[in-house]
């Protein structure tokens, strides 16, 4: 927090027993372990979907009851194993894969391929992050192209692709 923006970083809630939390519209960062002791949380709502740029490591650890979160489209980085921390989160499914996001951009983060029968996989222009295990089960290709709109590829997300082309500025 700073004098010019006291909501810059969300460190932790004052009351850790609530089931619903709203993140202030001026929050830029969710700190490491921010919700770590909030085992009752079911809903996290970001008031602004274009302000928060990062969610810290283990920010949602032990949040097994978290069902809904409207992850901001402005996020560039997030803990790659977030799905292990929030196993009951509602995901968007397009018939091919599961995603985390929000109503305006449901395809923000690729979680996993669910349709193993597809012959080709194409990324949405609005997808920015490939989470851990996100591409496992993707149909075999001689060449997989990762577009420039992807800002983060998590460890262990790809499986084996001998010829991967990655766009500029992607964080591995």
């Amino acid at each position: 927090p700073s004098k010019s923006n006291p909501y810059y970083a969300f460190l932790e809630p004052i009351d850790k027993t609530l089931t619903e939390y709203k993140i202030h519209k001026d929050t830029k960062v969710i700190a490491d372990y921010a919700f770590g002791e909030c085992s009752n949380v079911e809903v996290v709502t970001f008031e602004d979907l274009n302000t928060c740029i990062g969610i810290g490591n283990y920010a949602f650890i032990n949040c097994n009851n978290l069902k809904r979160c409207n992850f901001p489209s402005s996020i560039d980085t997030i803990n790659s194993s977030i799905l292990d921390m929030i196993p009951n989160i509602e995901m968007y499914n397009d018939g091919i894969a599961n995603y985390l996001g929000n109503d305006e951009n449901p395809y923000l983060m690729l979680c996993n391929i669910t349709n193993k029968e597809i012959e080709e996989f194409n990324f949405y222009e609005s997808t920015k992050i490939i989470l851990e295990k996100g591409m496992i089960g993707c149909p075999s290709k001689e060449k997989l192209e990762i577009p420039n709109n992807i800002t983060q590829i998590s460890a262990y997300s790809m499986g084996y692709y001998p010829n991967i082309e990655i766009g500029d500025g992607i964080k591995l």
Side-chain angles (χ1 to χ4, degrees):
S2 68
K3 288 182 181 179
S4 62
N5 182 2
Y7 301 102
Y8 184 87
F10 181 86
L11 302 177
E12 64 181 1
I14 294 169
D15 184 349
K16 296 178 183 182
T17 64
L18 298 177
T19 58
E20 187 168 338
Y21 295 94
K22 288 192 180 198
I23 305 299
H24 192 275
K25 64 182 179 63
D26 293 331
T27 301
K28 297 270 188 199
V29 176
I30 304 298
D32 294 352
Y33 299 96
F35 289 97
E37 297 176 29
C38 302
S39 59
N40 294 330
V41 63
E42 294 178 10
V43 178
V44 173
T45 304
F46 286 82
E47 290 181 347
D48 188 312
L49 297 177
N50 297 303
T51 304
C52 185
I53 57 173
I55 295 180
N57 289 325
Y58 307 104
F60 293 104
I61 196 163
N62 298 324
C63 292
N64 295 334
N65 292 317
L66 184 61
K67 293 178 184 79
R68 288 192 318 269
C69 181
N70 64 336
F71 292 95
S73 298
S74 51
I75 289 176
D76 284 328
T77 58
I78 192 166
N79 184 284
S80 64
S81 58
I82 188 168
L83 293 177
D84 292 337
M85 294 174 238
I86 52 173
N88 295 310
I89 193 80
E90 293 175 5
M91 293 186 239
Y92 297 89
N93 186 292
D94 66 352
I96 295 172
N98 284 326
Y99 297 85
L100 290 177
N102 57 64
D103 289 341
E104 293 173 16
N105 179 12
Y107 310 113
L108 178 64
M109 293 179 267
L110 173 62
C111 300
N112 62 312
I113 307 285
T114 56
N115 183 341
K116 309 297 185 198
E117 305 299 318
I118 60 171
E119 294 184 22
E120 185 174 339
F121 182 82
N122 295 303
F123 291 93
Y124 288 96
E125 286 184 28
S126 59
T127 300
K128 295 173 69 176
I129 297 169
I130 303 172
L131 295 174
E132 188 172 282
K133 303 173 190 159
M135 294 297 296
I136 302 296
C138 187
S140 295
K141 289 184 175 184
E142 283 190 27
K143 183 173 158 181
L144 178 66
E145 293 181 32
I146 307 295
N148 286 333
N149 53 289
I150 303 294
T151 60
Q152 176 183 325
I153 300 173
S154 301
Y156 310 110
S157 65
M158 301 304 289
Y160 177 72
Y161 287 92
N163 300 308
I164 296 178
E165 284 192 18
I166 298 176
D168 296 333
I170 295 175
K171 298 173 191 165
L172 294 175

